[in-house]
Amino acid sequence: MNDVSDSTTTPAASDEIVTRALLRLVDLPGGAGKAALITLDNGFDHTKPNTFGLGGLDSLAETLDHVAAAAESGEIVAVAVTGKPFVFGVGADLTGVAKITGSDMAREVSARGHRVLRRLGELPVPSFAFVNGAAMGGGLEIALHCTYRSVSTGAGLIALPEVALGLIPGWGGAWLLPNLIGAEKSVKVIVENPLSQNRMLKPAEVLSLGIADVAFEPADFLVQSLRWAASVVTGETVVERPEIDRGEAWDGAVAAGRALADLKLHGAAPAAYRALDLIEAAKTATRDEGFSAEDDAIAELTMTDELRAGLYSFDLVQRRAKRPVGAPDKSLARPITKVGVVGAGLMASQLALLLVQRLEVPVLITDLDQARVDKGVGYVHGEIDK
């Protein structure tokens, strides 16, 4: 049962980097029993975070088959999910989303994610998410499907950013989060933060919001998380969560979210409003109803111009900025040993300062007379000496 890799029953896209769900059994501290530890890993370093396309979902589904069998036989007392160094998971493979050609296909991808991820919360043993690093979108939703969550104090990039792209959290987040932390906090995470220049959550906020149950330092995060999980399994630690207010406070939070969306969007983009509809419905909807509503929303939003524009801009500033199309091969680059800047005015001086700081090579400034050059050089030295 060790090191189970993926079996892609549905062919993944040829360019998909498959995130595998690697499985091993570990002994929980204090004789609490054995746990199944799932590590999400796409085989690359942290510069290529774990994402999930069809292949990744199939890998996780197969691994969960083994976990479920072990839980039902009494071989394990818990299951835990963690990520590779610095990265837990950053959600769906956006290159695959761009290839969806119809609403029915979009609905099936959303439903498939629900079918796989929800199993983490429906096993006969408790499930734990050890959020060791970046967790965005579907990555954070994996954690939300688990019964309990720990977070590393060194983790960064934690968010549900879908609304900023023109989508909604479509693998359970729009129902799970409100039912975990309430409507007001969920509106902040799902709607307000994405509309505020895609603001990320810090680990301390994840803990204070109630998304995580406990936080540990990164140096021994996995060891401490396993120790905590053992104490939860044995009953030594009882995780208590405040009761959610499902009265007027819920309705007021959704109304405030709509006012915020109107202020920022004026009704021009539908994703924020659909997300608020889902949060509003989560007040009374069952899990099945909530997940089905997310499928419908994904089917509707995936084919909109707003999403296509969002994906284009994301690709342009995130991927193409680092690897421009048609750029010469890096092996052809020559070392830069000196840079010249024509002009010594404020803008030229600021450019010279930036080049000195980033390239760490000599920078020559030239202008019409020596006085201007001296002023520009003085500016650069003054900024460096601060």
Side-chain angles (χ1 to χ4, degrees):
M1 184 174 164
N2 293 326
D3 294 328
V4 176
S5 62
D6 71 308
S7 173
T8 54
T9 56
T10 299
S14 59
D15 58 350
E16 178 191 346
I17 298 175
V18 176
T19 296
R20 302 176 187 274
L22 306 177
L23 177 63
R24 60 192 173 106
L25 294 183
V26 298
D27 291 313
L28 291 174
K34 289 186 177 294
L37 179 62
I38 300 172
T39 302
L40 307 174
D41 193 341
N42 62 7
F44 294 88
D45 63 19
H46 66 280
T47 61
K48 289 192 176 182
N50 299 325
T51 58
F52 287 87
L54 298 180
L57 288 175
D58 286 340
S59 177
L60 183 56
E62 185 189 5
T63 298
L64 289 175
D65 287 340
H66 292 273
V67 170
E72 290 167 1
S73 68
E75 186 179 0
I76 60 173
V77 297
V79 58
V81 184
T82 193
K84 66 181 184 179
F86 309 112
V87 179
F88 184 79
V90 296
D93 181 2
L94 294 179
T95 61
V97 175
K99 297 174 183 177
I100 293 175
T101 57
S103 296
D104 290 341
M105 185 186 298
R107 180 181 283 103
E108 174 53 31
V109 170
S110 179
R112 189 175 198 161
H114 282 127
R115 288 196 298 269
V116 174
L117 301 189
R118 70 181 298 167
R119 297 178 65 187
L120 286 164
E122 298 172 345
L123 294 166
V125 295
S127 55
F128 296 81
F130 300 156
V131 183
N132 62 304
M136 296 194 296
L140 183 54
E141 286 173 299
I142 289 174
L144 291 173
H145 278 280
C146 293
T147 320
Y148 305 100
R149 287 156 293 278
S150 66
V151 64
S152 168
T153 57
L157 301 178
I158 301 175
L160 290 174
E162 288 87 350
V163 164
L165 287 174
L167 282 173
I168 52 94
W171 281 349
W175 186 87
L176 291 167
L177 192 64
N179 281 284
L180 175 67
I181 64 175
E184 181 178 0
K185 296 176 181 177
S186 296
V187 168
K188 174 182 176 65
V189 175
I190 296 174
V191 178
E192 181 180 345
N193 284 355
L195 294 183
S196 301
Q197 298 183 326
N198 217 3
R199 182 178 178 275
M200 300 286 116
L201 296 172
K202 297 179 180 178
E205 292 178 285
V206 174
L207 186 62
S208 64
L209 287 170
I211 299 174
D213 301 304
V214 67
F216 299 113
E217 293 295 322
D220 58 350
F221 174 73
L222 182 57
V223 171
Q224 292 297 332
S225 292
L226 287 170
R227 188 172 297 163
W228 169 69
S231 70
V232 173
V233 169
T234 60
E236 178 184 349
T237 297
V238 177
V239 176
E240 297 181 352
R241 295 172 181 143
E243 184 177 351
I244 296 173
D245 188 341
R246 297 182 184 274
E248 293 182 1
W250 190 294
D251 300 329
V254 173
R258 293 192 192 282
L260 175 68
D262 286 338
L263 180 65
K264 291 181 175 286
L265 302 172
H266 304 285
Y273 298 97
R274 294 295 278 118
L276 289 164
D277 291 342
L278 293 171
I279 295 172
E280 182 178 28
K283 178 180 178 180
T284 57
T286 65
R287 182 183 299 252
D288 288 341
E289 291 170 343
F291 289 178
S292 178
E294 289 181 7
D295 294 339
D296 292 340
I298 289 293
E300 173 189 326
L301 294 170
T302 300
M303 305 310 298
T304 61
D305 292 338
E306 287 80 10
L307 174 62
R308 300 295 157 167
L311 291 176
Y312 172 79
S313 61
F314 180 84
D315 183 68
L316 188 64
V317 301
Q318 295 296 323
R319 189 161 65 98
R320 296 302 184 188
K322 300 173 184 176
R323 294 181 292 277
V325 176
D329 189 273
K330 291 183 178 180
S331 63
L332 300 176
R334 298 179 181 179
I336 295 175
T337 59
K338 186 182 297 184
V339 177
V341 177
V342 178
L346 178 59
M347 186 178 296
S349 299
Q350 290 173 332
L351 178 60
L353 174 63
L354 182 64
L355 291 169
V356 168
Q357 292 173 326
R358 296 294 177 86
L359 299 182
E360 298 181 352
V361 297
V363 176
L364 302 180
I365 297 178
T366 182
D367 209 318
L368 296 176
D369 56 61
Q370 188 64 41
R372 298 188 188 200
V373 172
D374 292 342
K375 183 178 180 181
V377 172
Y379 169 82
V380 173
H381 282 282
E383 291 295 314
I384 292 176
D385 293 338
K386 283 184 179 179

